[in-house]
Amino acid sequence: MNRNLLFNELVKKAQSDRQYYIFGKPSQIGIIEDLLAYFGIDYKLDFHSQTMHQANLELLKNHIMNVATDEQLKLIYDKVSHNKSIPQPNLEIENTGKVFVSMPMNKEKCKDVDEIRKGISKAVSNSGNEVYFLDLDAHNDNIFNKMMTEIVGCKFLIADFTSQNTGVYYEAGYAKALGKTVIYTCKNSDFENIHFDIKQTQFVVWDDADDLAERLLYQIKKSNLGGA
Protein backbone atom coordinates (compact mmCIF):
# COMPACT_ATOMS: atom_id res chain seq x y z
CA MET A 1 0.00 0.00 0.00
CA ASN A 2 1.37 3.42 -0.99
CA ARG A 3 1.76 5.27 2.29
CA ASN A 4 2.10 8.70 0.69
CA LEU A 5 -1.10 8.34 -1.30
CA LEU A 6 -2.95 6.98 1.72
CA PHE A 7 -1.86 9.96 3.81
CA ASN A 8 -2.92 12.35 1.02
CA GLU A 9 -6.39 10.81 0.98
CA LEU A 10 -6.58 11.12 4.76
CA VAL A 11 -5.71 14.83 4.53
CA LYS A 12 -8.41 15.37 1.89
CA LYS A 13 -10.95 13.53 4.04
CA ALA A 14 -10.16 15.56 7.15
CA GLN A 15 -9.97 18.95 5.44
CA SER A 16 -13.20 18.40 3.49
CA ASP A 17 -15.16 18.87 6.72
CA ARG A 18 -14.58 22.58 7.38
CA GLN A 19 -16.80 22.62 10.45
CA TYR A 20 -14.48 20.07 12.05
CA TYR A 21 -11.10 20.95 10.55
CA ILE A 22 -11.29 24.76 10.42
CA PHE A 23 -13.80 25.76 13.09
CA GLY A 24 -13.93 22.78 15.44
CA LYS A 25 -17.73 22.61 15.40
CA PRO A 26 -19.39 20.69 16.88
CA SER A 27 -16.13 19.30 18.21
CA GLN A 28 -12.40 19.65 17.73
CA ILE A 29 -12.17 15.87 18.00
CA GLY A 30 -12.58 14.00 14.75
CA ILE A 31 -10.97 11.56 12.33
CA ILE A 32 -7.39 12.71 13.00
CA GLU A 33 -7.66 12.59 16.79
CA ASP A 34 -9.62 9.32 16.73
CA LEU A 35 -6.84 7.64 14.75
CA LEU A 36 -4.13 9.07 17.01
CA ALA A 37 -5.98 7.82 20.09
CA TYR A 38 -6.52 4.39 18.55
CA PHE A 39 -2.80 4.10 17.73
CA GLY A 40 -1.84 5.25 21.24
CA ILE A 41 -0.18 8.49 20.08
CA ASP A 42 -0.34 11.46 22.44
CA TYR A 43 -1.68 14.71 21.07
CA LYS A 44 -2.67 18.10 22.50
CA LEU A 45 -5.95 19.96 22.39
CA ASP A 46 -5.63 23.56 21.29
CA PHE A 47 -8.06 26.49 21.13
CA HIS A 48 -7.31 27.07 17.44
CA SER A 49 -8.75 24.06 15.65
CA GLN A 50 -6.94 24.34 12.31
CA THR A 51 -3.55 24.81 13.97
CA MET A 52 -4.20 21.83 16.24
CA HIS A 53 -5.33 19.63 13.37
CA GLN A 54 -2.28 20.53 11.27
CA ALA A 55 0.02 19.59 14.17
CA ASN A 56 -1.87 16.35 14.76
CA LEU A 57 -1.69 15.51 11.06
CA GLU A 58 2.09 15.71 11.30
CA LEU A 59 2.02 13.19 14.16
CA LEU A 60 -0.18 10.90 12.13
CA LYS A 61 1.97 11.33 9.03
CA ASN A 62 5.07 10.22 10.93
CA HIS A 63 3.23 7.12 12.16
CA ILE A 64 1.88 6.24 8.72
CA MET A 65 5.21 6.71 6.96
CA ASN A 66 7.50 5.05 9.49
CA VAL A 67 5.67 2.84 11.97
CA ALA A 68 2.18 1.76 10.87
CA THR A 69 1.61 -1.96 10.30
CA ASP A 70 -0.25 -3.32 7.27
CA GLU A 71 -3.35 -3.84 9.44
CA GLN A 72 -3.21 -0.24 10.63
CA LEU A 73 -2.85 1.02 7.05
CA LYS A 74 -5.86 -1.08 6.06
CA LEU A 75 -7.84 0.41 8.94
CA ILE A 76 -6.99 3.94 7.78
CA TYR A 77 -7.92 3.04 4.19
CA ASP A 78 -11.29 1.65 5.28
CA LYS A 79 -11.99 4.74 7.36
CA VAL A 80 -11.02 7.17 4.59
CA SER A 81 -12.52 5.31 1.62
CA HIS A 82 -15.55 3.60 3.14
CA ASN A 83 -16.09 5.62 6.33
CA LYS A 84 -15.90 2.47 8.42
CA SER A 85 -15.92 2.94 12.18
CA ILE A 86 -12.69 2.69 14.11
CA PRO A 87 -12.87 -0.46 16.27
CA GLN A 88 -13.51 0.31 19.90
CA PRO A 89 -11.77 -1.83 22.53
CA ASN A 90 -14.02 -3.39 25.10
CA LEU A 91 -12.91 -1.47 28.17
CA GLU A 92 -15.17 -3.63 30.33
CA ILE A 93 -12.97 -6.68 29.79
CA GLU A 94 -12.27 -8.23 33.16
CA ASN A 95 -8.76 -7.55 34.39
CA THR A 96 -6.80 -10.75 33.83
CA GLY A 97 -4.22 -9.86 36.47
CA LYS A 98 -1.50 -10.92 34.04
CA VAL A 99 1.56 -8.87 33.13
CA PHE A 100 1.68 -8.33 29.38
CA VAL A 101 5.21 -8.48 27.99
CA SER A 102 5.95 -6.52 24.83
CA MET A 103 9.33 -7.49 23.40
CA PRO A 104 11.11 -8.50 20.19
CA MET A 105 10.34 -12.10 19.21
CA ASN A 106 12.44 -12.63 16.09
CA LYS A 107 15.79 -14.13 17.07
CA GLU A 108 17.24 -13.30 13.67
CA LYS A 109 16.68 -9.60 14.33
CA CYS A 110 17.40 -9.65 18.05
CA LYS A 111 19.96 -12.00 19.56
CA ASP A 112 18.77 -11.17 23.08
CA VAL A 113 15.27 -12.67 22.86
CA ASP A 114 16.02 -15.57 25.23
CA GLU A 115 17.77 -13.30 27.75
CA ILE A 116 14.87 -10.87 27.74
CA ARG A 117 12.28 -13.59 28.21
CA LYS A 118 14.28 -15.27 30.97
CA GLY A 119 14.95 -12.08 32.91
CA ILE A 120 11.41 -10.76 32.70
CA SER A 121 9.87 -14.13 33.56
CA LYS A 122 12.01 -14.41 36.68
CA ALA A 123 11.25 -10.87 37.84
CA VAL A 124 7.51 -11.15 37.29
CA SER A 125 7.33 -14.55 39.00
CA ASN A 126 9.35 -13.35 41.99
CA SER A 127 7.06 -10.34 42.33
CA GLY A 128 4.07 -12.63 42.76
CA ASN A 129 2.59 -11.83 39.35
CA GLU A 130 1.78 -13.97 36.30
CA VAL A 131 3.69 -13.26 33.10
CA TYR A 132 1.98 -13.26 29.69
CA PHE A 133 3.76 -13.68 26.34
CA LEU A 134 1.43 -13.32 23.35
CA ASP A 135 3.55 -15.54 21.09
CA LEU A 136 3.36 -18.43 23.59
CA ASP A 137 -0.44 -18.30 23.92
CA ALA A 138 -2.37 -20.81 21.79
CA HIS A 139 -5.47 -19.11 20.34
CA ASN A 140 -7.55 -18.83 17.17
CA ASP A 141 -8.07 -15.07 17.20
CA ASN A 142 -6.74 -12.39 14.88
CA ILE A 143 -3.31 -11.66 16.39
CA PHE A 144 -3.86 -7.88 16.38
CA ASN A 145 -7.26 -8.14 18.10
CA LYS A 146 -5.87 -10.65 20.59
CA MET A 147 -3.01 -8.29 21.42
CA MET A 148 -5.39 -5.39 22.03
CA THR A 149 -7.69 -7.47 24.22
CA GLU A 150 -4.82 -8.74 26.36
CA ILE A 151 -3.39 -5.25 26.83
CA VAL A 152 -6.79 -3.90 27.85
CA GLY A 153 -7.12 -6.68 30.42
CA CYS A 154 -3.56 -6.75 31.74
CA LYS A 155 -2.49 -5.63 35.21
CA PHE A 156 0.44 -3.69 33.77
CA LEU A 157 2.78 -3.93 30.80
CA ILE A 158 6.53 -4.44 30.52
CA ALA A 159 8.06 -3.15 27.28
CA ASP A 160 11.58 -4.12 26.32
CA PHE A 161 12.95 -1.90 23.57
CA THR A 162 16.14 -3.84 22.87
CA SER A 163 16.63 -3.86 19.06
CA GLN A 164 14.09 -1.01 18.70
CA ASN A 165 11.19 -3.19 17.60
CA THR A 166 8.43 -0.91 16.24
CA GLY A 167 5.71 -3.19 17.60
CA VAL A 168 6.99 -2.59 21.12
CA TYR A 169 6.71 1.16 20.63
CA TYR A 170 3.14 0.73 19.44
CA GLU A 171 2.05 -1.64 22.22
CA ALA A 172 3.61 0.51 24.94
CA GLY A 173 1.90 3.61 23.53
CA TYR A 174 -1.44 1.84 23.33
CA ALA A 175 -1.16 0.68 26.94
CA LYS A 176 -0.28 4.22 28.07
CA ALA A 177 -3.30 5.58 26.20
CA LEU A 178 -5.47 3.17 28.19
CA GLY A 179 -3.98 4.46 31.44
CA LYS A 180 -1.98 1.29 32.13
CA THR A 181 1.32 1.36 33.99
CA VAL A 182 4.17 0.64 31.58
CA ILE A 183 7.66 -0.35 32.75
CA TYR A 184 10.33 0.36 30.14
CA THR A 185 13.41 -1.85 29.82
CA CYS A 186 16.31 -1.99 27.38
CA LYS A 187 19.70 -3.67 27.16
CA ASN A 188 22.50 -1.28 28.05
CA SER A 189 24.33 -1.81 24.75
CA ASP A 190 21.28 -0.65 22.76
CA PHE A 191 19.98 2.12 25.00
CA GLU A 192 21.67 4.87 22.97
CA ASN A 193 19.34 3.98 20.09
CA ILE A 194 16.12 4.63 22.02
CA HIS A 195 13.94 7.19 20.23
CA PHE A 196 14.30 10.64 21.74
CA ASP A 197 10.52 10.92 22.35
CA ILE A 198 10.73 8.40 25.19
CA LYS A 199 14.41 8.45 26.11
CA GLN A 200 13.73 10.76 29.06
CA THR A 201 11.35 8.16 30.53
CA GLN A 202 12.75 6.10 33.42
CA PHE A 203 14.18 2.86 32.00
CA VAL A 204 15.38 -0.35 33.57
CA VAL A 205 18.72 -0.62 31.76
CA TRP A 206 20.26 -4.08 32.03
CA ASP A 207 23.35 -6.07 31.04
CA ASP A 208 22.25 -9.73 31.18
CA ALA A 209 19.25 -11.85 32.16
CA ASP A 210 20.09 -11.96 35.87
CA ASP A 211 20.71 -8.21 35.95
CA LEU A 212 17.38 -7.63 34.19
CA ALA A 213 15.56 -9.87 36.66
CA GLU A 214 17.05 -8.09 39.66
CA ARG A 215 16.53 -4.53 38.41
CA LEU A 216 13.06 -5.21 37.05
CA LEU A 217 11.92 -6.87 40.29
CA TYR A 218 13.06 -3.78 42.19
CA GLN A 219 11.12 -1.53 39.78
CA ILE A 220 7.96 -3.62 40.09
CA LYS A 221 8.08 -3.52 43.89
CA LYS A 222 8.91 0.19 43.91
CA SER A 223 5.85 0.76 41.73
CA ASN A 224 3.64 -1.17 44.20
CA LEU A 225 2.76 -3.73 41.53
CA GLY A 226 3.58 -6.88 43.46
CA GLY A 227 1.11 -9.76 43.38
CA ALA A 228 -1.20 -10.71 46.19
Side-chain angles (χ1 to χ4, degrees), residues 161-217:
F161 291 83
T162 307
S163 79
Q164 310 306 305
N165 182 282
T166 55
V168 175
Y169 279 88
Y170 173 76
E171 290 164 15
Y174 180 62
K176 288 290 288 184
L178 292 175
K180 299 285 183 178
T181 296
V182 178
I183 297 179
Y184 301 79
T185 69
C186 184
K187 191 167 186 178
N188 190 26
S189 59
D190 194 41
F191 184 68
E192 64 179 18
N193 296 317
I194 293 291
H195 195 281
F196 71 90
D197 282 347
I198 65 167
K199 201 165 188 177
Q200 303 308 312
T201 305
Q202 185 177 42
F203 269 79
V204 174
V205 181
W206 54 274
D207 292 312
D208 56 37
D210 289 336
D211 188 43
L212 172 57
E214 181 179 347
R215 293 176 184 273
L216 179 56
L217 177 60

Side-chain angles (χ1 to χ4, degrees), residues 89-149:
N90 180 7
L91 299 180
E92 296 181 353
I93 295 174
E94 183 178 355
N95 193 311
T96 64
K98 298 177 183 178
V99 178
F100 188 99
V101 178
S102 178
M103 58 173 284
M105 302 294 182
N106 189 329
K107 294 183 181 180
E108 293 182 0
K109 295 182 178 180
C110 178
K111 62 181 178 58
D112 301 301
V113 169
D114 290 337
E115 271 197 309
I116 296 168
R117 200 188 299 271
K118 178 182 177 182
I120 291 178
S121 295
K122 184 176 180 180
V124 172
S125 177
N126 288 344
S127 71
N129 288 294
E130 181 180 356
V131 70
Y132 178 83
F133 295 102
L134 181 61
D135 65 317
L136 300 183
D137 184 10
H139 61 84
N140 297 311
D141 298 327
N142 174 284
I143 189 68
F144 183 71
N145 293 336
K146 178 65 173 175
M147 176 269 292
M148 292 180 66
T149 298

Side-chain angles (χ1 to χ4, degrees), residues 5-75:
L5 286 177
L6 181 61
F7 177 72
N8 289 347
E9 292 303 311
L10 173 61
V11 173
K12 293 176 189 177
K13 176 80 170 179
Q15 293 181 347
S16 67
D17 185 350
R18 292 176 58 83
Q19 289 299 305
Y20 153 67
Y21 188 83
I22 306 295
F23 301 108
K25 300 177 181 179
S27 172
Q28 288 179 292
I29 303 298
I31 183 173
I32 301 170
E33 291 69 36
D34 284 346
L35 287 168
L36 287 171
Y38 183 76
F39 296 144
I41 303 171
D42 289 335
Y43 64 91
K44 294 182 180 179
L45 291 174
D46 190 281
F47 179 75
H48 302 286
S49 296
Q50 185 175 5
T51 302
M52 182 189 88
H53 293 145
Q54 287 175 332
N56 289 344
L57 267 176
E58 283 300 312
L59 292 175
L60 203 50
K61 180 180 181 180
N62 179 67
H63 184 79
I64 291 172
M65 298 301 178
N66 303 305
V67 181
T69 64
D70 288 342
E71 286 187 275
Q72 292 171 350
L73 295 176
K74 178 66 165 52
L75 183 148

